[in-house]
Amino acid sequence: MSNDNNENKNKIRRKKVTSSSTPSSSSTTRKSGTRPTRPNSSSTSKTSNSSSRPSNASSNKKKSTRSSNKNDKFKFLRVAGIVFLVMLVVGTAAGTGLVFASLRNVEPVTKALLDKKTYQTTTIKYSTGEILSNAPSINKKEPVRLDDMSDYLKKAVIAIEDERFYEHGGVDVKGLLRSVVKTLTGTKQGGSTIPMQVSKMLLTSKEQSIPRKIKDIYYAYEMSKTLTKDEILEVYLNNFFVGKGLSGAEAGARGYFDKHASELSLAESALLAGSTKNPTKYSAYRTAKLEGTEGKEDVENKLLFFINTPDDLLDDPSAMELQMVDKLDSWGLIPTRETYKQLKSGTMVVRKAVNNPDAKIRQETVLAKMLQTGSITQEEHDKAVAEEIKIKLPKPKDTVVSSVEDLIEYEVIDALVEQGNTKDEAYNMFYNGGLIINTTIDPSMQDVLEEEYKNGSNFPGSRNGEGIPQPQSSMVILDYRNGQIKALVGGRHITGRKGINRATDPKQPGSTIKPLSVYTPAIDTLKLTQSTAFSDAKGGYKFKQNNKWNPNTTTAGSGTMSLRKALAYSSNTIAIKTAEMLGENYEDTVDVMIDYLRNFGISTLVDSKTTDPSHNDRTYPALTLGGMTKGISPLEMAAAYGTLANGGVYVEPIIFTTITSYDGQLIVKNTPEEHKVVEPDVAYVITDMLQAVITEGIGGSASLPKDMPVAGKTGTTNKSLDVWFVGYTPYYVGATYIGDDAGRRDPNTGEILSRQSVSGGSGTAAKLWAKVMRQVHENLDTVKFKVPENVYFAKINLIDGGRSSGGSSAAFVEGTAPSKYSSYRNPAPKVEKKPEEENKPEEGTTPTPPDGGGETTPTPPDGGGGTTPTPPDGGGGTTPTPPDGGGGTTPTPPDGGGGTTPTPPQEPAE
């Protein structure tokens, strides 16, 4: 290695010597003391010089090597020092900048501020800014003084969360450094003190970021300057989250053990303190199904009730569970009669709270830490470990009687979960976070809707035999331009919290599905128009599956009818024949219809090519006449029709616009999803056809004063078990549904009760829709639907669809036109409607879904019972009064099947 170095040095030195060889040589001779040689002794001199030069060179090499090593070493240190200083300066500047940026908007920490945030209540506001309500108090935290809390709870929290709490000045530097080291070595360990956690709970957020951590440190120091240790501990214990939507010592003690925080035992205190690490995992109890062998003492104060929805993790109640309902009722453990009725009907299920084994393990960890820190004795530790934890749930003490408030809660919770919160954390924020929720609900519209739903005369044949008024009903009003829900009612005479919200509950849609699945795709082909005519006769279908099914006609069945008239009179046969024009084969047309329905926002389609036909919507009975497996909710139906009103653009319905903190910081901005379904010209043609339903067809009961334009469609399932009217104006869209709840059981026998017909058919729904919308539009100017540029109008005969000078004015997309002139002279021949007859599914398939009454539900006709006025034919230019069921003579024809009754989202049981 020295040779290598010498070689390197020699190379450098040789270069230097070569550049000044003579001076270097004489200088060396003088230093050595050698005298100049005489001429006669040249040989001796040569020899002497020759022997002395190498020695001097070697000496110079060593000196130069040592000097060079020193120079290099100092150079490295200088460079390293400069780099370190630069990094220090840059790091300090960056760190200082980060600190200043993090602390630029901090606020002074006072006890008054922390108390204010502790006592915050979530406020729900109308779209006008007025207060709609406050968050339910069932899980609301109840702040209490530190003296009113168990000493065991204080000791447990300090031991497991911040054992040097009384020693540090807000931040435990040792603990923080230990946390950093363990984090760098791959072991996760928190270093937050109790003051830092108070900051995170009330002053900053749970966001994992350096700026937030810097703020927490700052606030912890400031807090420790202005508050005593006991005041900080009191704030913490009134806000810490223990799972199941429970915050604070008092709420946790009551929610799990039905006692005051001052009464908590050591074992219970350690359980609550331990849950803070992961409230979802370590909450005191889990839910379990009843086994049927329980005695009263096994379930008393341990029962939980959940709405049974298709979206939760709950199983439908078994026969044993239904029997247990009666036993629970006999023990006095069912809180209300409505709860009992819903349990017996299967729309609600009961579960029991059982001890959580994970919570027990965590509790023992806390007790061990308390023993280690000297907070408790060995005897206290052993006794607490052995103590049986007894869950005792409190009796419910408040109810929410508004389906609007329930829906707001569901939507807000979902939005908070989408932000990364757990379900428990989201509920805690909703109940205890002091949020301000700005909703879309218009107070005047909501008042109108609720008042009309209190009026029993709007629901002929109303009865209350099983405790819940029947028929039930729901209505939704949307501003279709922005998707905002302006008013909503989810049922009649709602008396319990989190009941069935029939506005979000899918129902069999009947003929209200036709404009969405059949006529919009047809007009969108630009090959079929309002003037296209089909025979309304039974049979003669394009596809063999439909010829096997062969549903009866709901009109005379002996002539032709234009699409305009077919929709106005809700012809089933022509709807099917029109749908057959959408593709080359049965499957193609089914795909087209399903695609359009999905684009219209319908989320409840059951689409599978392998599923049992009785649980599949890939059939014409489901897609053309509305005999669906699940159905469509009034909310989704309103949004779908709103798409047509909005020029073909779907806007997702929303019930709140923003969620902010109490001091106005934006937490969630609710921006609805939008997409184009069809072009504006196609949407307008369908709107024009749907106006004919009111002016020329069977929906006259939905007309509004002052000639306010209305476009809409009736829908009636078999035997008028479900009736609808969905319609829109140039301002709003509304969907109204009326029908008995499906799946109800006789409370005495447990047998499913048959559903009864809605008196007046869909005319009852149309009249209710008009009664509400008349008041909503009372002070609004009459305006027409905006006509797109590439739409023109032509008069057509409603029978054969040909041009007719005395016919009905109909809209057409540019490039399409009536294919011929009418062969009819004025007046045109009359068309009579035939009595309805059951539609039957294809051979070898299962009938469309049951209606909840134990009957088979054929695919719905929608033609009508009672007398049928002579239909308008377009020949005379006049419009006879349409049959609508509203005048007491002609009910709107049934057109669909019944179905099961799913329910809105509910917090799932574990």
Side-chain angles (χ1 to χ4, degrees):
M1 183 175 285
S2 61
N3 290 336
D4 292 339
N5 287 336
N6 285 335
E7 287 176 6
N8 291 333
K9 299 297 181 183
N10 289 338
K11 288 179 183 177
I12 295 171
R13 206 184 90 228
R14 277 201 300 272
K15 187 173 182 180
K16 288 182 179 178
V17 170
T18 303
S19 65
S20 56
S21 55
T22 304
S24 179
S25 178
S26 62
S27 174
T28 303
T29 303
R30 284 193 299 269
K31 284 181 181 179
S32 64
T34 306
R35 292 176 294 187
T37 58
R38 292 191 293 265
N40 59 353
S41 57
S42 61
S43 60
T44 306
S45 177
K46 283 179 185 178
T47 304
S48 173
N49 288 337
S50 175
S51 62
S52 66
R53 238 179 241 126
S55 176
N56 289 335
S58 177
S59 175
N60 286 339
K61 282 182 186 178
K62 289 178 183 179
K63 289 179 180 179
S64 181
T65 300
R66 283 195 297 269
S67 176
S68 181
N69 283 339
K70 272 186 183 180
N71 289 338
D72 282 0
K73 187 180 293 183
F74 285 128
K75 182 178 180 182
F76 171 78
L77 291 175
R78 284 196 302 273
V79 171
I82 292 170
V83 170
F84 175 76
L85 288 173
V86 170
M87 290 178 65
L88 182 62
V89 170
V90 172
T92 301
T96 303
L98 180 61
V99 169
F100 276 110
S102 302
L103 302 180
R104 68 181 182 277
N105 58 351
V106 294
E107 52 189 326
V109 182
T110 64
K111 189 172 188 304
L113 174 67
L114 298 179
D115 284 345
K116 182 178 180 181
K117 290 177 178 285
T118 296
Y119 285 83
Q120 282 299 321
T121 300
T122 289
T123 303
I124 302 171
K125 293 186 176 182
Y126 285 112
S127 60
T128 56
E130 302 168 62
I131 294 179
L132 189 160
S133 70
N134 293 119
S137 62
I138 187 170
N139 286 338
K140 191 77 177 81
K141 61 186 173 189
E142 302 175 51
V144 295
R145 290 165 49 87
L146 189 64
D147 291 344
D148 293 328
M149 301 179 197
S150 166
D151 286 337
Y152 287 129
L153 180 61
K154 304 170 197 175
K155 292 177 180 179
V157 165
I158 291 173
I160 198 67
E161 294 295 324
D162 187 1
E163 62 181 285
R164 283 184 287 276
F165 172 66
Y166 284 105
E167 301 169 15
H168 60 67
V171 176
D172 184 356
V173 178
K174 292 180 181 178
L176 200 58
L177 291 175
R178 185 175 62 250
S179 172
V180 171
V181 171
K182 291 205 172 187
T183 301
L184 292 174
T185 57
T187 304
K188 186 177 180 182
Q189 178 177 329
S192 295
T193 60
I194 285 176
M196 290 172 69
Q197 292 186 57
V198 169
S199 171
K200 184 170 70 172
M201 287 189 290
L202 299 181
L203 302 174
T204 57
S205 69
K206 69 182 192 67
E207 176 193 3
Q208 297 295 326
S209 67
I210 293 177
R212 194 224 81 198
K213 200 75 172 178
I214 291 172
K215 274 189 177 181
D216 286 341
I217 292 171
Y218 172 81
Y219 280 135
Y221 276 122
E222 292 299 304
M223 202 181 302
S224 297
K225 294 177 185 177
T226 57
L227 278 75
T228 67
K229 290 292 186 178
D230 283 352
E231 286 174 334
I232 295 172
L233 183 60
E234 180 179 295
V235 173
Y236 176 87
L237 290 174
N238 276 321
N239 288 280
F240 78 129
F241 184 47
V242 295
K244 303 298 182 187
L246 301 168
S247 276
E250 185 72 6
R254 288 188 175 279
Y256 288 135
F257 311 115
D258 195 23
K259 59 172 63 174
H260 290 292
S262 61
E263 301 170 333
L264 290 170
S265 69
L266 172 57
E268 293 164 344
S269 296
L271 196 76
L272 284 185
S275 65
T276 60
K277 182 178 181 180
N278 186 334
T280 300
K281 181 178 181 181
Y282 297 124
S283 58
Y285 68 79
R286 293 178 178 174
T287 56
K289 297 178 70 173
L290 298 177
E291 298 172 357
T293 58
E294 294 89 352
K296 181 179 179 180
E297 66 282 356
D298 298 320
V299 292
E300 190 170 16
N301 301 120
K302 294 183 181 180
L303 295 179
L304 299 148
F305 304 94
F306 299 95
I307 293 296
N308 187 18
T309 77
D311 299 322
D312 57 35
L313 302 177
L314 301 168
D315 294 328
D316 290 332
S318 64
M320 177 275 294
E321 289 177 287
L322 292 173
Q323 291 173 2
M324 278 294 294
V325 171
D326 289 316
K327 190 180 290 187
L328 297 172
D329 189 50
S330 69
W331 293 335
L333 302 183
I334 306 296
T336 66
R337 297 313 299 165
E338 181 169 343
T339 301
Y340 172 80
K341 299 295 183 184
Q342 290 196 57
L343 289 169
K344 291 296 288 186
S345 70
T347 58
M348 181 178 280
V349 295
V350 60
R351 296 288 184 264
K352 63 180 179 180
V354 297
N355 287 6
N356 179 3
D358 288 336
K360 178 62 178 173
I361 294 171
R362 177 65 178 164
Q363 176 223 38
E364 292 182 9
T365 300
V366 175
L367 290 169
K369 186 68 174 177
M370 293 178 74
L371 179 62
Q372 177 191 330
T373 58
S375 301
I376 57 174
T377 65
Q378 185 69 53
E379 182 182 356
E380 288 176 311
H381 169 272
D382 297 345
K383 183 179 177 182
V385 168
E387 181 180 323
E388 179 187 358
I389 296 294
K390 294 181 179 179
I391 300 298
K392 185 180 180 183
L393 304 182
K395 292 181 180 179
K397 58 183 178 181
D398 72 341
T399 59
V400 173
V401 295
S402 167
S403 46
V404 165
E405 291 175 54
D406 275 350
L407 184 58
I408 290 167
E409 180 177 332
Y410 292 133
E411 293 298 316
V412 168
I413 295 300
D414 284 348
L416 294 174
V417 169
E418 285 178 8
Q419 284 199 320
N421 299 288
T422 66
K423 198 91 168 191
D424 266 352
E425 289 169 342
Y427 271 103
N428 182 43
M429 290 176 69
F430 180 75
Y431 292 130
N432 305 309
L435 305 177
I436 297 173
I437 300 166
N438 297 295
T439 76
T440 63
I441 300 297
D442 182 286
S444 59
M445 291 191 202
Q446 187 66 27
D447 286 346
V448 167
L449 202 50
E450 290 182 1
E451 284 302 312
E452 293 303 332
Y453 268 70
K454 293 176 184 176
N455 185 352
S457 64
N458 290 325
F459 307 93
S462 183
R463 59 203 184 281
N464 195 25
E466 294 82 38
I468 302 175
Q470 302 295 335
Q472 270 297 330
S473 178
S474 63
M475 185 170 179
V476 181
I477 301 174
L478 295 177
D479 183 339
Y480 48 76
R481 295 170 184 82
N482 52 29
Q484 294 186 3
I485 300 173
K486 307 311 294 182
L488 178 147
V489 166
R492 298 176 56 213
H493 304 296
I494 300 171
T495 59
R497 185 171 186 267
K498 294 188 177 179
I500 300 171
N501 189 341
R502 296 162 187 86
T504 57
D505 182 21
K507 304 291 184 182
Q508 296 304 302
S511 283
T512 57
I513 201 172
K514 291 175 182 175
L516 309 175
S517 61
V518 177
Y519 290 104
T520 295
I523 298 300
D524 204 19
T525 64
L526 301 183
K527 296 178 182 178
L528 300 173
T529 70
Q530 293 199 62
S531 68
T532 305
F534 289 92
S535 166
D536 69 336
K538 178 181 178 179
Y541 297 110
K542 179 178 174 182
F543 303 133
K544 63 181 181 180
Q545 294 95 325
N546 290 334
N547 284 312
K548 288 181 180 179
W549 170 33
N550 200 23
N552 289 330
T553 180
T554 52
T555 49
S558 57
T560 61
M561 196 178 290
S562 66
L563 292 193
R564 182 181 180 88
K565 186 176 181 66
L567 180 58
Y569 274 77
S570 203
S571 168
N572 284 350
T573 49
I574 291 181
I576 296 163
K577 291 173 182 177
T578 302
E580 289 185 323
M581 303 298 290
L582 301 177
E584 295 298 320
N585 55 55
Y586 189 95
E587 285 298 322
D588 284 348
T589 58
V590 163
D591 286 340
V592 169
M593 288 188 281
I594 285 178
D595 186 52
Y596 274 85
L597 287 172
R598 282 179 173 154
N599 277 323
F600 275 118
I602 307 305
S603 67
T604 45
L605 286 162
V606 179
D607 177 18
S608 173
K609 296 183 180 181
T610 59
T611 305
D612 183 332
S614 65
H615 294 86
N616 195 349
D617 290 334
R618 294 190 64 81
T619 66
Y620 266 62
L623 299 174
T624 62
L625 305 185
M628 300 173 69
T629 304
K630 294 181 178 178
I632 301 173
S633 72
L635 179 58
E636 288 196 351
M637 190 63 82
Y641 273 66
T643 302
L644 299 170
N646 196 38
V649 176
Y650 170 85
V651 183
E652 176 190 20
I654 59 172
I655 200 166
F656 73 89
T657 54
T658 60
I659 303 172
T660 65
S661 61
Y662 88 100
D663 55 355
Q665 295 184 45
L666 183 65
I667 298 173
V668 177
K669 183 177 181 180
N670 197 9
T671 304
E673 185 267 333
E674 298 182 16
H675 62 257
K676 181 185 284 188
V677 179
V678 291
E679 294 296 332
D681 49 10
V682 173
Y684 182 83
V685 170
I686 299 298
T687 294
D688 185 54
M689 294 173 71
L690 289 173
Q691 288 184 84
V693 174
I694 315 302
T695 59
E696 304 167 9
I698 59 176
S701 284
S703 60
L704 295 179
K706 300 189 297 184
D707 294 324
M708 180 69 74
V710 176
K713 183 70 184 74
T714 56
T716 312
T717 63
N718 188 43
K719 300 180 183 178
S720 293
L721 297 177
D722 306 275
V723 300
W724 291 76
F725 184 79
V726 187
Y728 53 91
T729 70
Y731 294 98
Y732 301 107
V733 59
T736 304
Y737 166 84
I738 305 174
D740 278 9
D741 286 333
R744 294 176 302 113
R745 296 177 184 268
D746 187 310
N748 299 314
T749 65
E751 294 180 359
I752 294 178
L753 294 168
S754 296
R755 303 173 70 209
Q756 297 186 27
S757 301
V758 176
S759 178
S762 62
T764 297
K767 288 169 68 176
L768 176 58
W769 184 94
K771 196 171 182 180
V772 171
M773 297 299 260
R774 187 179 302 125
Q775 297 172 72
V776 168
H777 289 74
E778 188 174 8
N779 298 317
L780 299 176
D781 294 334
T782 298
V783 294
K784 303 297 182 183
F785 291 108
K786 185 178 179 181
V787 182
E789 291 183 359
N790 55 336
V791 168
Y792 74 98
F793 293 85
K795 289 187 175 181
I796 63 170
N797 182 280
L798 294 178
I799 300 300
D800 65 2
R803 289 181 181 270
S804 172
S805 60
S808 293
S809 179
F812 294 87
V813 178
E814 271 188 12
T816 68
S819 58
K820 59 182 180 180
Y821 283 87
S822 176
S823 59
Y824 287 104
R825 294 183 177 181
N826 299 330
K830 296 178 181 180
V831 177
E832 297 181 357
K833 298 178 77 176
K834 293 179 63 177
E836 296 178 37
E837 190 173 329
E838 292 183 348
N839 287 324
K840 297 180 180 180
E842 304 97 332
E843 293 178 6
T845 64
T846 306
T848 47
D851 61 25
E855 301 174 353
T856 303
T857 304
T859 307
D862 84 333
T867 5
T868 304
T870 306
D873 58 31
T878 59
T879 304
T881 304
D884 55 41
T889 55
T890 308
T892 307
D895 64 357
T900 55
T901 308
T903 52
Q906 166 68 8
E907 180 187 3
E910 296 170 358

